[in-house]
Every structure is written in C-alpha cells, then in structure tokens.
Amino acid sequence: MNKVITVNLNNNAYQVEEPGYEALQKYLDNAKKSLADNPDKDEIIADLEQAIADKCATYLHTNKTVITVAEVDAILKSMGPVESDEEESTEAKTEESKADTPKRLFKIRDGAIIEGVCNGIAAYFDVDPTMVRALFIILTVISAGTWIVVYILLALFLPEAMTREDVARAQGQPYNAQTIIANAQKRYEYWKKFGQEQSEKWAGDHTEEIQRATDLHTEHIKNKINRKLTLKHELRQQKIARKMAAYDYKYDYKPGNFSRGLAGFIAGMSILFTCILGLAWVVALIQFFGTGSISGYFTGTPTMIMILLLICVFYVIYLPLQALTGSAMRFAKAAPVGGSFWGKIVSAIIWIAALIGVFSIASQVPQVRDGWWQLRNDIHHHIDR
Amino acid sequence: MNIRDKFTPIRKGLLELAVLKVIAANKVYAADILKQLDQTEFTTQEGTLYPLLSRMRRDGLVTYEWSESDSGPPRKYYELTDLGHSQIDQLQQYWTTLKETLDTIGERHE
C-alpha cells in the first residue's frame, strides 16, 4: 500500500503514488537545473509537464484513478533526460562541477597495511600502493627514521574515506603520474632498442678496430686496478693517521662544563626546531592536499611540483639543523663521534622504535589523546574553512 | 561500439534538419513530431525535442499558435517561418555536399 499524492502538472491534477511523486519531482528538478541558463526555461518546463500529463492520461480510465510508481518510471523513461540546447552553458557546467569536487587526500582502510595512508596517497596519484609504501620505507631509512613522524602525523590528521564517493574523490580525475611513468618506460625501451641496433650495426662494420680497442681497454683496466690497490693502501695509512690525531685531540682538549652545557642547550634547541619544522611541513602538506593552497598561497600549483618544492624547502632547513645538532651533541660528548652506514641504520631503527614506544605510551594517556583530537579537529576546521 | 552509436553526434546534429522538414510538411504539435520521428533513425524524446524547439523558435525558424484539440487541452501547433524554409535549403545543400564528398572521396581520377 502506498500513500497517494495529488500533483498539479501544468494545471492538470493527477493522483500519483508517493515514490512516483518523488521521482517526478527529481526529474523536474534536474530539468530545471540543466535549463538554468535557458531564457525559455519556464515555457519548456510547462511543455514538459503537459507532456507528462498527457502520458498520465493514457494510463487512467474509469476504474483506475491513480498513477503507480512503475507507470511514473515508464513515463519518465520515455521522456528522456532534458538536454539544454545551449552548448556554451553545458560546458561551463561541467567545469563548475569539476571545481566543486576537488581531489582530497584520504586514508583508505580497504587493503591497507597499517592505517591506509600510503593507500590513500596511491589513490590520489593513481599509482600502485606498493610503490608508495616502498618510497616511504626508503625515505624513512634515508632520513634516519625522521620520516616515520610524517607517517604518524598523516595517519592522525588525514580524514578516513568512509563512503564510496570519498574513495572516488580520493582518486579524482585520473592523475598523470601513471602516464608519466609509462611514457618514461616507453622512451627508455625505445632508446635501449635504438642503442642495441646501432651498436650491433657498428660492430659488424668495425670488427678489427673493436678487437684492438678491447685489447687496449684490458690493458687500461689492469693498470687501473694496480693503481687503485696502491691508492687504497695509501688511504688506509691516512685514515689511521687521522684517527690517531683525533684520539690525541680527544684527550688533549677537554671543553669546560659551561661550554659543554651550552652545547647541550644548543643541541636541544635545534632538535626542537627540527620537530617544529617537521610539524609545520606536515601541516603545510595536509593543507595543500585539502584545499589546494597553503594559507592562501601557491594556489593552482601542480601537486607534483608542490611536493618537490616542499621536500626541497624541508631539506634546505633540515640538513643544516641536523648538522648543528650533530656537532653540538658531539661537542657536549653526548653522542658517539661519526658513525658508519650500518651504524646509521641501527640508530634509525632505535629512533623508530623509540618513537613508536613514545607514541603508544602517550596514546594511553587520556589527556594526551584528547589533546591530539583537539588539535586534529582544529586543523580540520582550519582546512575546511 | 555498434555502428548506430558511432553516428550519435551526427544524428544529433541532423535532428534540427529532420524536425524542420517534419514541420515544413504539415502544421504539427510536439507529440506529432515525436510520433513521426519515432519510425525513423531520428527517434528522440521530449527531453531533447522541447529544448530544441524552443531554441529554433528563438532563432526565428519556427513559430507556433495555440489551437484547440478534439481531446484534451489546447496544443501548440508549430509552423515554419520564411527563415525556417531557407534554413532547410541551406542545411540540405550542405548535407548533399557532405554526402557527395563521402561518395567520391578516395576514388582515383585518371
């Protein structure tokens, strides 16, 4: 049983089942929307209503006074979508609708490994999530663990894609990153093939010369290896000499307690600045993804360029700060001198573990958690504004 | 993609000529036009035809007058203007040119 609503179609009264009435309303609303710029909008709508009324009449007779939902659907289907005949206006409309739904960065839990941050970024650029994850891992190792902070902050502040539309919005219009990579691959294949063909052709023409050149090259390599061995030996000697000098320095020169304390203070301050820099950077990134600008600046900058720019700016500030922290800590004797590649990896792992530890302990404290939510909401509010 | 779909934009562009020709033959109202087009490749719907008719009227190609009908409310009967007639000639001429080009293109003239 359905409720019946009486409608006035261009001054003809018809009784329509309620869902049918809603369908009619929607059809006419859409018609009005697509005729918005048409000077004869009202007249066309009246004509359309009259046509619908005429069609309704064919469904009615003495023992049947109500138009059913199915009949309304059939009528609207036979009417077809209303297309404005003004070409310019439809173009303007598609542009408008594009501007209405900007791409947004989301977390996508579906198929995620941790929080779905990489997944969301991959959807934003329309690339394989594995690539993004690999990039994050590489950046984490290169930055000695600092990059993990970026991940944690993104995980905290990015909204989650809850609905299908959100996921669609995360992807937006197909971004060009994939095409760029595909093109680069194609170009690489082309030049590789070209090079092979050319070299084979050339080799066929110059067999003797190649033989002579190969002999010469072998000779050259032998010489080079000999020289390298000598050089390596010399370098080792130099290194030992340097280490000994450093050892002398370490025990000859002892900074006083005041200068060591000052160095420690400077180290602390520069670590603090590094943290602020990281935070500001992530906020800028989120803001850019959310609104397409950073506090109103950089509007319309292509995403790829903006990210490269942000990374450059980050490192221009970060590297000197890191150097300052390192030397200040060394001066204060708070950190071991130097460090090898593996030493850096180990310290990166310790740094990551410590960060995860701190964050997981902190998240157990209600005040801290509330504070994060507050900050997160503030930032969202700021972005949405 | 079937053949019919490939010609969708062509049919859309030619719809104006088809409608003009239907109106030229007889004084008609919108439902008549739809019924006549329905048996052809140019079959269309109210949602497309009404905005087209209104634009043609604004361009001065057609006019209409209200006329009582035997059943139901008065209807708009459409009629061609002089401009509409000359528009048919021009459109028809260009269409013939297109068709001749297609018929002869690619043939070698020796």
Side-chain angles (χ1 to χ4, degrees):
Chain A
M1 191 184 76
N2 265 326
K3 218 166 129 184
V4 170
I5 291 178
T6 306
V7 295
N8 175 355
L9 287 167
N10 200 30
N11 300 327
N12 308 278
Y14 286 96
Q15 290 191 304
V16 182
E17 284 184 323
E18 195 176 17
Y21 163 77
E22 277 155 20
L24 267 175
Q25 188 73 51
K26 209 173 138 199
Y27 179 83
L28 288 171
D29 281 349
N30 282 339
K32 279 175 197 159
K33 230 179 268 168
S34 60
L35 295 172
D37 301 328
N38 197 310
D40 293 330
K41 177 182 150 194
D42 294 337
E43 193 186 338
I44 298 173
I45 296 288
D47 285 351
L48 286 168
E49 282 188 12
Q50 183 59 49
I52 295 171
D54 290 349
K55 280 172 201 270
C56 285
T58 64
Y59 284 103
L60 299 178
H61 44 83
T62 3
N63 294 325
K64 188 171 176 298
T65 52
V66 173
I67 315 281
T68 66
V69 190
E71 284 160 358
V72 170
D73 284 345
I75 290 169
L76 293 182
K77 205 174 162 216
S78 83
M79 295 287 294
V82 175
E83 293 159 13
S84 181
D85 209 47
E86 327 286 305
E87 263 153 47
E88 322 87 309
S89 70
T90 42
E91 239 166 66
K93 208 153 284 157
T94 42
E95 250 167 55
E96 206 176 275
S97 69
K98 245 186 231 163
D100 274 353
T101 51
K103 258 177 150 187
R104 271 202 75 170
L105 196 59
F106 284 102
K107 285 195 289 189
I108 299 175
R109 292 258 190 196
D110 196 18
I113 289 189
I114 308 172
E115 277 277 307
V117 170
C118 291
N119 221 359
I121 293 172
Y124 190 89
F125 290 111
D126 198 16
V127 291
D128 189 348
T130 319
M131 267 172 59
V132 181
R133 289 185 190 121
L135 189 71
F136 261 72
I137 291 167
I138 291 167
L139 283 170
T140 306
V141 173
I142 289 176
S143 66
T146 321
W147 191 262
I148 206 82
V149 180
V150 175
Y151 186 93
I152 291 168
L153 289 174
L154 282 172
L156 275 170
F157 294 131
L158 283 186
E160 205 173 309
M162 295 291 188
T163 62
R164 221 176 264 271
E165 289 97 75
D166 282 351
V167 176
R169 257 178 94 194
Q171 269 157 346
Q173 62 264 59
Y175 195 74
N176 281 340
Q178 219 171 31
T179 356
I180 292 167
I181 293 166
N183 282 346
Q185 250 166 8
K186 232 182 270 164
R187 222 170 299 140
Y188 169 73
E189 293 295 338
Y190 170 78
W191 284 111
K192 203 173 138 189
K193 203 170 150 227
F194 180 81
Q196 258 169 10
E197 276 171 10
Q198 289 301 313
S199 61
E200 271 163 28
K201 191 164 155 254
W202 189 84
D205 295 347
H206 302 84
T207 326
E208 256 177 58
E209 282 103 316
I210 292 170
Q211 188 55 49
R212 228 175 309 136
T214 318
D215 291 347
L216 266 175
H217 186 65
T218 322
E219 188 80 9
H220 172 72
I221 294 281
K222 268 186 201 158
N223 286 338
K224 209 169 160 185
I225 290 172
N226 279 337
R227 241 179 311 163
K228 234 186 185 162
L229 281 175
T230 330
L231 200 70
K232 211 171 177 183
H233 179 72
E234 275 171 20
L235 275 176
R236 199 179 293 141
Q237 296 292 329
Q238 276 175 17
K239 204 172 172 185
I240 291 168
R242 253 209 319 274
K243 269 204 170 159
M244 285 173 77
Y247 185 84
D248 289 346
Y249 163 80
K250 207 169 167 183
Y251 289 96
D252 283 353
Y253 174 71
K254 281 196 168 58
N257 280 338
F258 175 73
S259 27
R260 280 181 65 186
L262 191 67
F265 177 73
I266 291 171
M269 288 314 282
S270 74
I271 288 171
L272 189 69
F273 276 122
T274 312
C275 291
I276 292 169
L277 170 72
L279 194 69
W281 193 82
V282 172
V283 169
L285 195 71
I286 295 169
Q287 217 187 14
F288 183 74
F289 279 129
T291 63
S293 70
I294 295 171
S295 302
Y297 298 100
F298 302 109
T299 316
T301 316
T303 316
M304 279 295 200
I305 305 288
M306 198 61 226
I307 289 176
L308 282 177
L309 198 70
L310 276 171
I311 289 173
C312 287
V313 169
F314 179 82
Y315 274 100
V316 163
I317 308 174
Y318 171 72
L319 289 178
L321 267 176
Q322 198 196 25
L324 180 68
T325 316
S327 29
M329 277 168 90
R330 236 165 287 161
F331 194 79
K333 294 271 162 57
V337 182
S340 66
F341 173 70
W342 289 108
K344 271 180 193 152
I345 299 240
V346 169
S347 71
I349 292 168
I350 294 170
W351 172 214
I352 293 164
L355 270 172
I356 292 171
V358 167
F359 270 97
S360 54
I361 293 166
S363 66
Q364 302 298 315
V365 181
Q367 286 89 344
V368 173
R369 221 166 34 207
D370 290 351
W372 272 120
W373 277 104
Q374 190 57 46
L375 187 62
R376 190 189 149 134
N377 289 342
D378 285 352
I379 289 176
H380 274 191
H381 182 73
H382 183 66
I383 289 170
D384 291 340
R385 192 155 54 91
Chain B
M1 199 188 220
N2 73 40
I3 296 294
R4 218 175 165 273
D5 289 345
K6 285 196 184 189
F7 281 98
T8 303
I10 309 274
R11 274 201 311 277
K12 205 174 162 198
L14 283 174
L15 186 61
E16 181 175 329
L17 177 56
V19 171
L20 280 170
K21 286 190 129 184
V22 170
I23 299 172
N26 238 322
K27 256 178 147 186
V28 281
Y29 66 99
D32 273 343
I33 301 174
L34 283 172
K35 214 196 281 170
Q36 286 195 41
L37 292 176
D38 208 24
Q39 293 140 18
T40 70
E41 284 296 310
F42 290 105
T43 174
T44 186
Q45 295 174 300
E46 283 89 343
T48 310
L49 182 68
Y50 284 22
L52 176 66
L53 281 174
S54 115
R55 210 253 304 136
M56 283 160 68
R57 190 190 58 77
R58 242 180 305 131
D59 291 350
L61 304 175
V62 297
T63 56
Y64 63 76
E65 55 185 40
W66 289 100
S67 193
E68 296 291 332
S69 67
D70 317 333
S71 57
R75 301 181 193 286
K76 284 178 185 172
Y77 278 85
Y78 286 89
E79 217 177 345
L80 229 57
T81 62
D82 291 344
L83 195 62
H85 280 291
S86 70
Q87 178 84 339
I88 288 191
D89 292 342
Q90 283 170 25
L91 290 174
Q92 185 71 52
Q93 216 166 35
Y94 184 66
W95 173 244
T96 312
T97 316
L98 277 182
K99 195 179 163 302
E100 276 167 5
T101 311
L102 269 180
D103 287 346
T104 54
I105 203 164
E107 283 175 14
R108 283 181 206 286
H109 302 282
E110 276 160 294

